[in-house]
């Protein structure tokens, strides 16, 4: 039986849709003298399509009228995952289409002024989205962690008296060709399962939260507008170099004024060319947190566009710019030509009630915890995080390994052409969105794929080459857990990133194996590839409050000892070719239910509510010690500060 919960109508839509084409820019929406932003966060009407084939919404065209007229709706906050909002287990574990709707009052002058572009933007929605405005489809998008948008000006001008009704249908079904992949399995034995019973299988270790996860908003631009900006930075002695390109839409002839300003808004360089190199004398470089006393220094690149043919309207967009370089040698990771050691964390976008929904209090708390810990970096395991988070990283000097949603690529059918094509398109979207963030220093194209399978070589060779083509300025990696001798993709990466769980998934309970096995791991990988290595994951579950001495698995003491034994080996190897260590995980997080998970993964050094376990203090002491040894502490901290 292969019914699937992708309704027939989606198949039809797929034929005519063009997915993930990167033919325009994806600048973060911002207010300026020429642009307005209207946030549509708050309560939306919501209805899950619980019909057996999940297709009733399309059969009855729920987008054509108000959702409340099609049947019962409930309040749903945006942004948030819908899973943990109600008491209904069938919504928590729902697979298929859910429908969101909201009516918006559009400012009259946006409607009246034909020269205003009105753009609807969704920060992200998991996994597949279709968007209608007043019953007319305006866009669809595949992929759960990246933004998409549609120009809706002409639609709202059609009948200025009707309110603007936005309908978004979101389907969280994962198949062998989605990223991440999954499968739908129907259980047809009626002596065991009820009629229509199916499960969504996934091959990754976090809850498949779904819904509208990031802000939805309307923003305006003039008809002639700055569509995209790309900056690449460098420096020579004291002179910073900002190579930039501006792409303009909606004007045949346009005049540009590009101004680079320092923090005090003083102009340090300017130009009127669409692309060029701005020279900054006495440059202030962008430095990571704990590497310099003034980390995260940002200039502002103001782009002012005057279209000759557009009633002299201007468009103004200001991009934050950090001037820094990234280079990799066979043993080092260099930022501004100085060795950088990653002492950081792996995270998840995950918290109580809101699931993967963007939440400012949580974001700011997490940054405060990372700084408290002395972490200088994190990896966006296992998907791209909100742009708002990357902007924080730019400002605070937190270094990021930016990972795409290529997690759980374990089935050989997910190495086929359709999967690869989609994976390449996702990298296009990711690089387009994140290319200008100084905090982003490396792309990760996948986590723990079955890299030993024969098709992996062609797959990763193509994927990594493509990514380097999109961005020649940053190293590219994928995260491996496979045997160094059988890994097919490793020859193509710039940095080897290895996950290992000695004395946890292997030799459980035997802490004494860690020194020898970890040493062997490093020697083997380095011996074969002569590339720098990051321990991209290591750790152990600890149920907070569980204690034992001698240490036993799942206690706080056991987690402590695992960390300490790993650290001893890192301390030997970081003098050679190990360039970083990222703990798994920053905080406990929700997973699917299963016999190895006790209400989620407990490898956090903080609980899901962001309270420290004993391991957080071990890590804190270590990270500040490393910072003291390798970097420059900010003036307000004095090691051992508040240990
Ligand atoms: C690693 C995965 C990560 C898991 C972790 C674990 O990359 O997603 O959560 O194992 O099992 O292999 O805790």
């Amino acid at each position: 039986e292969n019914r699937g919960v992708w309704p027939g109508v989606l198949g039809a839509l797929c034929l005519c849709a063009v997915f993930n084409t990167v033919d325009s820019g994806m600048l973060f929406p911002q207010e300026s003298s020429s642009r307005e932003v209207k946030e549509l966060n708050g309560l939306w009407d919501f209805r899950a399509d619980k019909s057996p084939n999940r297709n009733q919404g399309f059969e009855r065209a729920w987008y054509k009228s108000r959702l409340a007229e099609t049947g019962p709706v409930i309040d749903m906050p945006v942004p948030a995952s819908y899973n943990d909002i109600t008491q209904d287990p069938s919504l928590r574990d729902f697979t298929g289409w859910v429908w969101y709707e909201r009516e918006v009052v559009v400012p009259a002058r946006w409607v009246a002024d034909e020269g205003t572009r009105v753009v609807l933007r969704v920060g992200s929605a998991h996994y597949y989205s279709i968007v209608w405005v007043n019953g007319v489809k305006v866009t669809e998008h595949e992929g759960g962690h990246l933004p998409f948008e549609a120009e809706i000006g002409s639609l709202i001008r059609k009948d200025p008296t009707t309110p603007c009704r936005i309908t978004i249908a979101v389907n969280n079904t994962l198949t062998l060709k989605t990223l991440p992949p999954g499968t739908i399995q129907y259980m047809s034995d009626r002596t065991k399962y009820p009629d229509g019973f199916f499960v969504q299988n996934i091959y990754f270790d976090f809850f498949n939260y779904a819904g509208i996860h990031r802000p939805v908003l309307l923003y305006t631009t003039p008809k002639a507008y700055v569509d995209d900006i790309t900056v690449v930075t460098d420096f020579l002695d004291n002179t910073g170099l900002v190579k930039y390109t501006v792409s303009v839409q909606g004007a045949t002839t346009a005049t540009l004024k590009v101004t680079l300003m320092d923090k005090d808004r003083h102009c340090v360089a300017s130009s009127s060319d669409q692309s060029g190199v701005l020279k900054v004398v006495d440059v202030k470089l962008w430095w990571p947190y704990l590497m310099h006393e003034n980390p995260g220094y940002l200039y502002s690149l103001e782009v002012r566009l005057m279209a000759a043919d557009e009633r002299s309207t201007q468009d103004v967009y200001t991009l934050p710019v950090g001037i820094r370089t990234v280079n990799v040698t066979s043993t080092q990771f260099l930022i501004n030509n100085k060795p950088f050691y990653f002492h950081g964390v792996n995270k998840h976008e995950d918290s109580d009630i809101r699931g993967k929904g963007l939440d400012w209090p949580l974001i700011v708390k997490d940054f405060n915890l990372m700084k408290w810990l002395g972490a200088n970096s994190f990896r966006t395991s296992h998907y791209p995080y909100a742009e708002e988070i990357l902007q924080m990283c730019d400002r605070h000097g937190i270094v990021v390994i930016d990972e795409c949603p290529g997690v759980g690529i374990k089935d050989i059918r997910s190495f086929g052409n359709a999967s690869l094509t989609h994976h390449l398109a996702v990298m296009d979207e990711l690089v387009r969105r994140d290319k200008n963030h100084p905090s982003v220093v490396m792309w990760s194209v996948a986590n723990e794929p079955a890299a030993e399978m024969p098709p992996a070589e062609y797959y990763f060779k193509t994927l990594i080459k493509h990514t380097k083509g999109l961005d020649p300025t940053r190293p590219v990696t994928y995260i491996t857990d496979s045997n160094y001798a059988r890994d097919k993709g490793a020859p193509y990466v710039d940095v080897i990133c290895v996950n290992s769980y000695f004395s946890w998934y292997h030799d459980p309970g035997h802490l004494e194996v860690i020194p020898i096995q970890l040493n062997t791991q490093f020697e083997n990988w380095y011996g074969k590839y002569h590339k720098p290595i990051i321990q991209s994951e290591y750790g152990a579950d600890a149920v907070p409050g569980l204690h034992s001495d001698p240490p036993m698995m799942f206690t706080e003491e056991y987690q402590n000892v695992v960390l300490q034994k790993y650290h001893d080996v890192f301390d030997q190897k970081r003098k050679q070719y190990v360039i970083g260590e990222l703990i798994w995980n920053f905080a406990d997080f929700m997973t699917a239910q299963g016999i190895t998970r006790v209400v989620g993964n407990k490898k956090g050094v903080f609980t899901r509510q962001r309270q420290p376990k004993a391991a957080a203090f071990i890590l804190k002491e270590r990270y500040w010690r490393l910072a003291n040894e390798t970097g420059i502490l900010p003036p307000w901290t004095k090691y051992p500060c508040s240990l």
Side-chain angles (χ1 to χ4, degrees):
E1 208 173 352
N2 185 23
R3 274 190 285 156
V5 282
W6 293 90
V9 65
L10 187 61
L13 286 167
C14 285
L15 291 176
C16 53
V18 190
F19 300 119
N20 300 332
T21 47
V22 178
D23 48 7
S24 64
M26 197 46 85
L27 290 174
F28 187 77
Q30 86 180 189
E31 289 181 322
S32 74
S33 55
S34 64
R35 295 175 175 229
E36 290 175 74
V37 173
K38 185 180 166 76
E39 288 214 356
L40 307 182
N41 300 337
L43 293 187
W44 289 51
D45 278 354
F46 176 90
R47 186 174 179 198
D49 185 345
K50 293 191 179 167
S51 62
N53 66 357
R54 304 292 196 251
N55 204 20
Q56 198 185 85
F58 291 93
E59 287 158 5
R60 306 215 177 140
W62 288 358
Y63 49 88
K64 281 207 171 140
S65 59
R66 292 197 43 218
L67 198 56
E69 287 165 20
T70 71
V73 294
I74 59 172
D75 285 342
M76 189 55 69
V78 169
S81 301
Y82 58 73
N83 309 75
D84 292 345
I85 298 294
T86 75
Q87 300 313 105
D88 177 2
S90 76
L91 184 59
R92 183 191 61 203
D93 300 327
F94 185 78
T95 303
W97 290 100
V98 299
W99 294 70
Y100 286 80
E101 184 208 74
R102 155 119 196 225
E103 276 187 2
V104 184
V105 180
V106 182
R109 72 174 183 286
W110 291 12
V111 181
D113 181 5
E114 298 268 345
T116 296
R117 287 174 69 243
V118 180
V119 184
L120 169 62
R121 175 181 178 114
V122 180
S124 79
H126 189 71
Y127 170 83
Y128 195 101
S129 309
I130 306 179
V131 185
W132 296 263
V133 170
N134 294 336
V136 178
K137 192 183 122 194
V138 294
T139 192
E140 59 188 288
H141 181 261
E142 176 174 1
H145 310 90
L146 290 165
F148 51 95
E149 46 181 51
E151 216 268 282
I152 63 165
S154 56
L155 263 175
I156 56 178
R157 278 179 202 117
K158 253 193 197 151
D159 183 1
T161 57
T162 55
C164 168
R165 183 168 45 82
I166 299 171
T167 313
I168 307 182
V170 185
N171 193 328
N172 61 344
T173 308
L174 300 177
T175 71
L176 287 167
K177 296 188 181 98
T178 59
L179 214 57
T183 52
I184 297 291
Q185 189 179 0
Y186 277 85
M187 309 298 195
S188 47
D189 183 345
R190 289 291 157 264
T191 66
K192 287 187 170 168
Y193 302 101
D195 190 28
F197 186 91
F198 68 88
V199 288
Q200 166 79 76
N201 296 314
I202 51 174
Y203 310 105
F204 52 84
D205 183 38
F206 54 91
F207 194 85
N208 190 32
Y209 278 114
I212 302 178
H213 282 155
R214 295 182 193 150
V216 180
L217 47 86
L218 293 177
Y219 71 90
T220 64
T221 76
K223 216 173 213 152
Y225 63 101
V226 177
D227 179 51
D228 200 9
I229 307 169
T230 307
V231 297
V232 171
T233 63
D234 200 352
F235 64 91
L236 209 77
D237 303 324
N238 265 346
T239 307
L241 304 168
V242 178
K243 192 170 162 223
Y244 73 91
T245 310
V246 177
S247 93
V248 171
Q249 289 282 344
T252 41
T253 49
T255 318
L256 277 179
K257 176 95 182 137
V258 178
T259 314
L260 190 71
M261 291 171 296
D262 65 15
K263 264 217 157 112
D264 305 319
R265 299 194 63 80
H266 294 135
C267 168
V268 294
S270 68
S271 164
S272 50
D273 297 331
Q274 202 152 341
S275 63
V277 182
L278 300 171
K279 291 201 174 122
V280 186
V281 292
D282 288 331
V283 62
K284 289 201 176 69
L285 296 177
W286 185 93
W287 288 99
Y289 175 55
L290 302 178
M291 204 173 170
H292 192 268
E293 62 240 328
N294 188 10
Y297 190 92
L298 295 174
Y299 291 86
S300 300
L301 187 74
E302 183 194 85
V303 178
R304 207 169 265 275
L305 165 74
M306 287 130 319
D309 47 354
E310 273 305 317
R311 290 178 290 145
S312 71
T313 50
Q314 288 198 4
D315 188 24
V316 183
Y317 191 93
T318 306
L319 182 78
V321 173
I323 302 178
R324 59 106 183 93
T325 59
V326 173
N327 287 291
V328 173
T329 72
S330 65
T331 57
Q332 286 181 318
F333 196 96
L334 303 173
I335 294 183
N336 301 336
N337 301 330
K338 295 244 163 71
F340 176 75
Y341 186 77
F342 294 80
H343 44 92
V345 300
N346 289 277
K347 293 187 90 262
H348 262 298
E349 290 182 318
D350 176 270
S351 71
D352 285 333
I353 303 170
R354 35 194 74 57
K356 293 199 175 301
L358 179 137
D359 182 60
W360 278 112
L362 180 78
I363 291 174
V364 176
K365 179 73 177 174
D366 281 5
F367 271 80
N368 287 333
L369 288 176
M370 283 190 281
K371 290 182 135 185
W372 176 88
L373 210 52
N376 62 3
S377 52
F378 68 86
R379 166 163 76 111
T380 71
S381 45
H382 293 305
Y383 37 80
Y385 292 179
E387 293 164 275
E388 290 84 344
I389 296 176
L390 296 181
Q391 291 167 348
M392 291 271 290
C393 291
D394 292 343
R395 289 203 309 275
H396 292 266
I398 301 291
V399 169
V400 176
I401 299 173
D402 200 352
E403 189 157 292
C404 91
V407 56
I409 308 176
K410 306 280 189 193
D411 189 302
I412 197 151
R413 290 167 291 174
S414 292
F415 283 100
N417 266 341
S419 295
L420 178 57
T421 306
H422 177 55
H423 206 149
L424 298 175
V426 172
M427 289 313 300
D428 291 349
E429 284 187 53
L430 177 61
V431 173
R432 168 178 67 167
R433 193 195 70 162
D434 293 348
K435 62 188 171 186
N436 293 324
H437 288 288
S439 56
V440 173
V441 300
M442 180 155 67
W443 305 110
S444 162
V445 298
N447 178 66
E448 298 187 357
E452 69 287 355
M453 286 185 176
E457 170 149 21
Y458 174 75
Y459 193 96
F460 284 106
K461 188 177 165 177
T462 311
L463 188 57
I464 291 167
K465 198 172 155 212
H466 181 82
T467 308
K468 282 177 182 290
L470 294 169
D471 176 10
T473 72
R474 288 180 179 89
V476 182
T477 191
Y478 70 85
I479 313 295
T480 187
D481 69 338
S482 54
N483 186 311
Y484 77 102
R486 291 189 296 146
D487 193 300
K488 300 258 185 282
Y492 305 99
V493 302
D494 297 305
V495 173
I496 304 274
C497 287
V498 192
N499 298 345
S500 59
Y501 289 91
F502 304 128
S503 94
W504 192 262
Y505 293 120
H506 314 278
D507 306 299
H510 289 285
L511 292 160
E512 67 277 21
V513 305
I514 292 176
I516 174 166
Q517 294 191 3
L518 189 56
N519 188 66
T520 306
Q521 166 199 287
F522 286 137
E523 292 292 290
N524 283 344
W525 282 97
Y526 190 75
K528 178 149 185 190
Y529 292 108
H530 295 279
K531 292 177 186 178
I533 304 177
I534 295 176
Q535 181 75 39
S536 41
E537 288 182 26
Y538 71 104
D541 288 77
V543 177
L546 214 52
H547 296 286
S548 81
D549 185 80
M552 290 181 69
M553 291 177 77
F554 293 100
T555 64
E556 296 199 29
E557 287 75 12
Y558 195 91
Q559 186 183 36
N560 278 355
V561 178
V562 168
L563 266 52
Q564 284 162 329
K565 295 219 175 247
Y566 265 80
H567 296 164
D568 290 345
V569 181
F570 297 158
D571 279 339
Q572 294 156 29
K573 301 297 175 192
R574 72 188 165 87
K575 313 249 152 48
Q576 303 169 34
Y577 49 78
V578 168
I579 57 163
E581 53 188 85
L582 304 174
I583 186 80
W584 191 263
N585 189 285
F586 172 73
D588 293 346
F589 58 91
M590 195 47 69
T591 64
Q593 298 183 63
I595 52 167
T596 61
R597 296 287 174 260
V598 192
V599 194
N601 187 310
K602 295 279 186 278
K603 294 194 186 70
V605 296
F606 296 102
T607 65
R608 201 184 194 205
Q609 295 72 36
R610 274 52 179 180
Q611 296 305 327
K613 301 180 193 173
F617 296 94
I618 302 254
L619 213 55
K620 180 184 186 211
E621 184 161 355
R622 173 172 179 78
Y623 283 0
W624 282 98
R625 189 167 358 101
L626 287 172
N628 200 39
E629 223 179 273
T630 60
I632 296 173
L633 301 194
W636 43 264
T637 56
K638 263 218 180 77
Y639 178 80
C641 65
S642 51
L643 286 176

